[in-house]
Amino acid sequence: NYYGAEIASLNLSNLYEKFQAGEVPSYLGSNRDYNVDLIPKFIMACGNLTKMLLHTKVTRYLEFKSIGGSFVYKGGKILKVPATPEEALRSPLMGLFEKRRFRKFLIYIDQYDKDKPETHEKKDLTTMTMRQLYTSFGLQSDTHEFISHAMCLQIDDVHLDKPALPTVQELQTYCYSLARYGTSPYIYPMYGLGGLPEGFSRLCAIHGGTFMLNRDVDEILTDESGVAYGIKSGNAMAKAKIVIGDPSYFPKDKVRPTGQIVRCICFLNHPIPNTNDSESVQIIIPGPQVGRKNDIFVCSVSSAHNVSARGVYIAIVSTKLEQDK
């Protein structure tokens, strides 16, 4: 009965009902002030999702605001990911000489173009691994971890021994996004991520499409070869060239699980400590810092993005499950 299904942004009453958490505490304020993401995601300002939103013109129904800061956990402390050259020079993330090497590395990344060999400096990133690229600039292992996890947004260390080109392109996207807004590379829609499917539904209606909320899908129709060509709901049937859907709509033998995510939604009456009292932040905790393979992500938003009552901060902690339970 709301847009977005499993990736919806819910008000308080829908949220507590979904998780069977009992009565909504009165101290959280008005129900209508909340839009809590079930699956949080900050959007890279120059990433593919932003390009898609602009290309489809769904942005006419959405308003975005930049995220206040990006932080990384290192050595028991939460440290800001530098957003300007001046911040990089003051940052405790690296020593003085390491900062110089880091700067030289970023200059190389900024000017690199896979279609212009003169920018490659005799480095073939289709065969050279990311670990070898870091080492070629003399960067220390701590810096490898910081760049890969806090800037390239890799969730584990598998990429280090793979060709460097895809990771370098992700780092370029991060740097271009950061240059666009200055505080962080991330943007986030006002009123939560639930605005994305709602915006597409409006665009769909303009072009003659139909959205049906609160409607069961009784059967996915397939031909003899197993290819889906439509859906059945009650006595109604719809046919299409392609059927796209949430895994819950399809038979189990058509679904291939790739992992499980564990999340915790926290309501706070203060900003997260050591984040410069930012109204919105992302904190990345690299897995190796806390004895894990996969990173832990903390997304924090507040009334600044119209997702909570004034004075209430929403922090959502997410990571990939590494055990059976």
Side-chain angles (χ1 to χ4, degrees), residues 131 144-145 148-149 154-162 288 293 295:
R131 194 189 302 275
H144 302 184
E145 183 181 278
S148 284
H149 294 266
Q154 297 288 341
I155 63 170
D156 54 37
D157 287 338
V158 173
H159 69 285
L160 287 174
D161 299 307
K162 291 185 175 181
K293 292 179 185 176
D295 293 358

Side-chain angles (χ1 to χ4, degrees), residues 30-239:
S30 175
N31 185 43
R32 68 175 182 273
D33 289 335
Y34 287 83
N35 294 283
V36 183
D37 296 328
L38 293 179
I39 299 181
K41 178 183 175 65
F42 289 158
I43 301 169
M44 197 67 76
C46 292
N48 286 335
L49 178 55
T50 303
K51 291 173 184 175
M52 185 177 73
L53 294 173
L54 289 168
H55 178 75
T56 56
K57 295 183 173 61
V58 75
T59 45
R60 71 180 71 165
Y61 306 113
L62 295 166
E63 183 183 350
F64 291 91
K65 187 175 179 180
S66 60
I67 294 299
S70 178
F71 293 78
V72 63
Y73 179 85
K74 181 184 176 185
K77 296 180 180 178
I78 296 175
L79 302 173
K80 192 174 190 302
V81 178
T84 64
E86 293 75 22
E87 278 189 4
L89 288 172
R90 295 195 304 269
S91 173
L93 278 165
M94 294 168 278
L96 180 61
F97 294 111
E98 186 71 355
K99 286 174 184 174
R100 291 179 181 175
R101 292 188 284 266
F102 176 62
R103 181 177 178 275
K104 188 178 178 182
F105 173 74
L106 287 186
I107 290 172
Y108 171 77
I109 296 297
D110 182 60
Q111 56 85 45
Y112 179 87
D113 185 331
K114 69 181 178 66
D115 298 322
K116 295 180 180 178
E118 65 271 18
T119 67
H120 296 183
E121 296 183 10
K122 298 181 180 179
K123 294 179 173 68
D124 183 0
L125 300 191
T126 61
T127 57
M128 188 181 212
T129 68
M130 199 64 202
R131 194 189 302 275
Q132 289 170 334
L133 180 62
Y134 286 143
T135 304
S136 71
F137 282 90
L139 295 171
Q140 299 171 0
S141 58
D142 277 2
T143 309
H144 302 184
E145 183 181 278
F146 154 64
I147 297 172
S148 284
H149 294 266
M151 300 177 76
C152 303
L153 304 182
Q154 297 288 341
I155 63 170
D156 54 37
D157 287 338
V158 173
H159 69 285
L160 287 174
D161 299 307
K162 291 185 175 181
L165 183 59
T167 307
V168 164
Q169 290 172 327
E170 286 166 0
L171 180 54
Q172 286 180 328
T173 300
Y174 183 96
C175 293
Y176 299 156
S177 299
L178 187 57
R180 190 167 183 174
Y181 285 100
T183 55
S184 82
Y186 310 113
I187 57 175
Y188 181 80
M190 302 296 282
Y191 303 100
L193 293 175
L196 294 179
E198 194 169 342
F200 275 106
S201 73
R202 292 182 183 180
L203 193 67
C204 174
I206 288 173
H207 292 280
T210 302
F211 260 65
M212 295 183 182
L213 293 176
N214 215 17
R215 185 75 175 261
D216 289 331
V217 173
D218 296 321
E219 185 183 352
I220 303 290
L221 303 172
T222 56
D223 60 22
E224 294 84 0
S225 60
V227 176
Y229 66 84
I231 64 168
K232 192 174 181 182
S233 178
N235 294 324
M237 184 170 65
K239 294 182 179 181

